[in-house]
Amino acid sequence: MHLSSRVRGISLSMTLALDARAKALAQSGRDIVNMSVGEPDFDAPPVVQEAAAKAVRGGKVRYTPAAGTQSLRKLLAEHVSATRGVRYSPEEITVCHSCKHALSGTVLTLCEPGDEVLLLLPAWLSYMEIVRIAGGVPIEVPSRADCGPDFEAIERSIGARTRGLLLNSPNNPTGYVWSKAEVEELGRIAERHDLWIISDEIYRRLIYEGEPDTSPVSLSESLRARTAIVDGASKTYAMTGYRIGFVAARKEVAGGVERLHSHLTGCPNAISQDAYEAGLREEPPEIAKMAAEFARRRKFLLSELDSMGLRTPWPRGAFYAFPDVSPWLDARGSAGFCEDLLEKEGVALVPGSAFGVDTHVRLSYALSMEKIAEATKRLRAFLAKHPAAKVAAR
Ligand code: PMP
């Protein structure tokens, strides 16, 4: 059977594949600590669960408008206006199946075949594939050593065919949160070169210290006009399996995503729309508790990594750490490191190569303190058996 070149070029999402491999090993009886997960280990708040159950029992299981129910779009417009400090109308909101769906719809809406799109490394692996699916050309831009933005590298990467860039703060996999000054600098570059920005703000509620997140849209009217925000319920409300998110952008862009999705998926899941609405309306207390627990784990994990001699860019947000393991790598790079760690010690991590940075690995702390303690114990033992200097000298 002939498969389209569009699909032949795509690999299965490495994080999902790794998660599946770790689960399969655990099912076969191996004692595995899975630190490759990209989802909160908490239940969705009861108010969300009840709203979903009520929607099912009440028969709210029919198609909705392609852009989402009017009440959710209105609520999201109010929510974005309040949290980003700039007014959005319901017509500027398109509800999607997830943030990933919002992102792919927005890239398909903005990106012409052959357009270059800047991905600021390390970049979440789906960005590259989504841009390629849209016919765009992903241009990988290296970051500073602390994983913050390297503006000179960004400027150098811009050519005649560069049309846009993807911003992700707090970042997956580093947890890096851009300062307001950095977003302003990026905004100036976008204005100067007439670039659109897709701002993936899915982790914005998970920031543990320092300055809050700055969205480009809050800086000026003209940045608001060239920026599309993508966000959703997965991380904030621990609703990963509900699959619900949105894009907030000027009407033409939100409308483009709506038209596209009206053919590709019809409408977002009706049950999840009600559940998301309940979460947004109530601001459940479980959200703050979850963030406080992530903050506690982050502190523990970072001090453990530091005591093992691993250099880790400081993660102010999200629920990942991204230590540099380059002294321990052989020719197989970060994938080989993760393979050996999984086989020998039963700890699943994600290789940095999945994010375009082969010198690092990603650890998720969206798992219990006990499991984090067990994983770091095993990682310490693994590193001790493969002393960095010895590996480097080979
Ligand atoms: N953006 C980033 C940076 C992510 O890490 C993820 C999930 N891992 C998503 C988007 C996708 O979120 P959703 O579940 O809403 O598709």
Side-chain angles (χ1 to χ4, degrees):
M1 171 74 81
H2 174 83
L3 297 183
S4 70
S5 52
R6 188 181 309 111
V7 160
R8 270 185 282 136
I10 305 172
S11 46
L12 186 68
S13 162
M14 198 195 287
T15 43
L16 294 183
L18 268 164
D19 195 41
R21 165 105 181 106
K23 281 182 181 138
L25 278 173
Q27 257 165 17
S28 75
R30 285 280 311 271
D31 173 22
I32 303 292
V33 187
N34 188 357
M35 289 193 107
S36 72
V37 288
E39 59 183 345
D41 56 321
F42 295 85
D43 285 334
V47 67
V48 165
Q49 296 180 25
E50 278 151 28
K54 203 166 148 209
V56 174
R57 289 198 204 98
K60 289 181 82 178
V61 291
R62 304 290 168 203
Y63 294 138
T64 73
T69 62
Q70 199 48 35
S71 61
L72 179 55
R73 290 174 79 193
K74 186 165 169 287
L75 194 59
L76 280 169
E78 286 163 11
H79 168 78
V80 175
S81 306
T83 50
R84 277 68 164 190
V86 46
R87 250 195 67 69
Y88 276 79
S89 68
E91 293 70 39
E92 293 173 301
I93 305 287
T94 294
V95 183
C96 304
H97 279 290
S98 61
C99 182
K100 207 174 230 185
H101 189 226
L103 184 67
S104 52
T106 308
V107 171
L108 284 165
T109 297
L110 294 176
C111 184
E112 287 283 10
D115 282 358
E116 291 180 358
V117 179
L118 304 187
L119 307 182
L120 312 180
L121 297 183
W124 183 50
L125 65 175
S126 289
Y127 290 167
M128 312 185 196
E129 300 294 15
I130 289 172
V131 169
R132 280 200 198 101
I133 292 167
V137 182
I139 303 290
E140 299 185 356
V141 185
S143 62
R144 298 190 311 243
D146 67 348
C147 289
D150 178 341
F151 292 109
E152 277 175 23
I154 294 174
E155 287 270 13
R156 268 199 312 276
S157 306
I158 298 172
R161 299 233 46 188
T162 313
R163 294 285 176 268
L165 63 92
L166 266 63
L167 168 65
N168 175 214
S169 173
N171 176 268
N172 175 9
T174 62
Y176 189 91
V177 183
W178 287 48
S179 68
K180 184 172 182 212
E182 287 168 339
V183 181
E184 281 170 345
E185 182 59 31
L186 186 76
R188 279 191 286 273
I189 294 176
E191 300 278 12
R192 203 155 51 237
H193 297 279
D194 191 20
L195 307 178
W196 47 257
I197 300 174
I198 298 179
S199 181
D200 181 345
E201 301 177 7
I202 186 101
Y203 293 101
R204 63 171 293 283
R205 285 292 302 276
L206 298 172
I207 296 180
Y208 309 108
E209 61 178 41
E211 257 185 72
D213 184 41
T214 301
S215 174
V217 303
S218 43
L219 295 178
S220 69
E221 257 315 303
S222 99
L223 274 177
R224 179 196 187 283
R226 63 173 69 249
T227 301
I229 294 174
V230 293
D231 194 351
S234 286
K235 319 289 174 175
T236 306
Y237 297 106
M239 287 173 65
T240 46
Y242 284 72
R243 311 310 296 136
I244 196 79
F246 67 92
V247 52
R250 55 199 281 180
K251 277 183 208 161
E252 311 90 284
V253 178
V257 177
E258 174 187 9
R259 291 201 300 281
L260 195 64
H261 288 175
S262 74
H263 298 290
L264 293 179
T265 51
C267 68
N269 180 321
I271 301 155
S272 298
Q273 290 189 68
D274 266 23
Y276 193 14
E277 202 172 315
L280 285 162
R281 259 188 221 295
E282 302 264 335
E283 185 56 33
E286 292 81 7
I287 303 310
K289 283 195 201 133
M290 181 171 81
E293 179 57 18
F294 282 144
R296 202 168 74 90
R297 296 172 186 177
R298 181 188 73 126
K299 216 166 153 192
F300 173 73
L301 177 62
L302 285 170
S303 77
E304 285 290 295
L305 296 175
D306 187 50
S307 73
M308 288 177 218
L310 288 170
R311 279 182 298 136
T312 309
W314 193 250
R316 282 209 293 125
F319 40 68
Y320 309 106
F322 197 58
D324 181 356
V325 292
S326 50
W328 284 271
L329 299 182
D330 60 24
R332 296 169 302 151
S334 56
F337 181 95
C338 291
E339 243 173 75
D340 291 352
L341 183 66
L342 183 58
E343 289 312 319
K344 293 185 181 144
E345 302 289 343
V347 177
L349 307 183
V350 182
S353 55
F355 307 94
V357 176
D358 201 19
T359 45
H360 291 56
V361 289
R362 190 191 80 176
L363 291 78
S364 162
Y365 51 89
L367 63 172
S368 72
M369 210 53 162
E370 294 68 36
K371 286 186 182 158
I372 297 171
E374 179 59 28
T376 50
K377 197 173 103 197
R378 295 184 192 185
L379 179 59
R380 193 185 293 277
F382 178 79
L383 296 182
K385 281 180 213 151
H386 305 270
K390 221 167 81 191
V391 174
R394 274 210 302 246

